[in-house]
Amino acid sequence: QQQVKQSPQSLIVQKGGIPIINCAYENTAFDYFPWYQQFPGKGPALLIAIRPDVSKKKEGRFTISFNKSAKQFSLHIMDSQPGDSATYFCAASRGGWANNLFFGTGTRLTVIP
Amino acid sequence: GAVVSQHPSRVICKSGTSVKIECRSLDFQATTMFWYRQFPKKSLMLMATSNEGSKATYEQGVEKDKFLINHASLTLSTLTVTSAHPEDSSFYICSASPWRLAHYNEQFFGPGTRLTVL
């Protein structure tokens, strides 16, 4: 059973556009929600993360919106660039030390110049 | 900070041989490290969680006698694929969780190891 559901599977936007990737979860014990960016043949890199006590977090061009009641969170990429073309994974984990991350299925983003 | 390395980055071996993959946290101590497997265009699949000085915890369906994990120090974990077969060919990625109060659930990933078994 997929603990974190991610959509869309793939996304194509023009340069400067704002791609939005959505994730949903069921387990209310989750309290840490990171986003990872992965380029082909590389390991995932932590982009940004949020905890349930805030509804929005912005770091550079990346923003997470979090809706605790709906159990949903999303990643927005402002002013997207061709270099942002990668696969993005959302994830979630429970509170406590070093708990397992449950990953979404990934979104392949292509930014067209 | 929070750099994780893996060695080797790529390995090709013959069927039946064993392969060891090292995962190191370079600038932090990690009491917990994780090993993942990733198939092409798929998500990461957690194989096992290892804590320094204790036995690894394997996910359901992962053969612990085939995938031996050792976490000998706070900066090093190793994954040994024993008697490798072509179906073990995959991208193996480790991650490490820093022992820092403000970041207690963060995981930082290594660059991955591409294993090809002929």
Side-chain angles (χ1 to χ4, degrees):
Chain A
Q1 184 186 358
Q2 191 72 30
Q3 297 252 10
V4 179
K5 295 181 180 177
Q6 184 172 347
S7 64
Q9 189 174 354
S10 62
L11 189 53
I12 301 173
V13 299
Q14 296 276 357
K15 177 184 172 185
I18 306 176
I20 300 172
I21 305 170
N22 300 298
C23 286
Y25 64 97
E26 286 298 324
N27 191 339
T28 54
F30 288 155
D31 80 340
Y32 174 69
F33 303 90
W35 284 89
Y36 286 87
Q37 178 190 58
Q38 186 179 30
F39 292 103
K42 305 293 183 184
L46 179 63
L47 262 182
I48 185 173
I50 198 168
R51 299 191 192 275
D53 52 342
V54 296
S55 61
K56 188 165 284 191
K57 183 175 180 181
K58 183 175 186 290
E59 285 185 5
R61 295 185 294 110
F62 301 96
T63 299
I64 299 179
S65 295
F66 185 81
N67 185 328
K68 188 175 181 177
S69 60
K71 291 184 283 187
Q72 295 175 347
F73 57 110
S74 60
L75 176 70
H76 296 59
I77 305 175
M78 303 301 183
D79 187 28
S80 58
Q81 302 295 314
D84 296 329
S85 298
T87 299
Y88 293 81
F89 292 96
C90 63
S93 70
R94 297 187 308 274
W97 290 98
N99 276 314
N100 297 351
L101 282 172
F102 293 91
F103 280 88
T105 49
T107 297
R108 175 171 280 195
L109 172 67
T110 303
V111 181
I112 300 170
Chain B
V3 180
V4 177
S5 71
Q6 268 183 254
H7 179 79
S9 59
R10 212 176 263 275
V11 57
I12 300 173
C13 69
K14 292 182 179 179
S15 187
T17 60
S18 294
V19 174
K20 181 186 282 189
I21 302 170
E22 289 187 351
C23 176
R24 293 181 186 273
S25 55
L26 298 184
D27 51 2
F28 63 95
Q29 292 185 329
T31 53
T32 304
M33 290 185 170
F34 303 85
W35 286 95
Y36 294 84
R37 185 172 178 176
Q38 187 177 34
F39 292 103
K41 299 184 181 179
K42 296 293 184 184
S43 189
L44 287 80
M45 183 186 80
L46 180 66
M47 297 174 67
T49 302
S50 76
N51 290 291
E52 185 262 340
S54 62
K55 288 184 179 179
T57 302
Y58 290 82
E59 295 299 300
Q60 193 173 5
V62 177
E63 298 175 59
K64 59 183 178 184
D65 293 331
K66 179 165 193 60
F67 298 101
L68 301 178
I69 292 171
N70 183 275
H71 193 158
S73 76
L74 287 172
T75 58
L76 173 64
S77 176
T78 59
L79 167 68
T80 302
V81 183
T82 62
S83 187
H85 288 93
E87 58 266 28
D88 299 323
S89 298
S90 192
F91 193 51
Y92 292 88
I93 315 173
C94 71
S95 72
S97 198
W99 182 254
R100 292 194 299 236
L101 184 62
H103 307 275
Y104 64 81
N105 257 355
E106 287 181 345
Q107 285 187 34
F108 296 94
F109 285 80
T113 297
R114 172 76 57 195
L115 170 63
T116 303
V117 185
L118 302 175

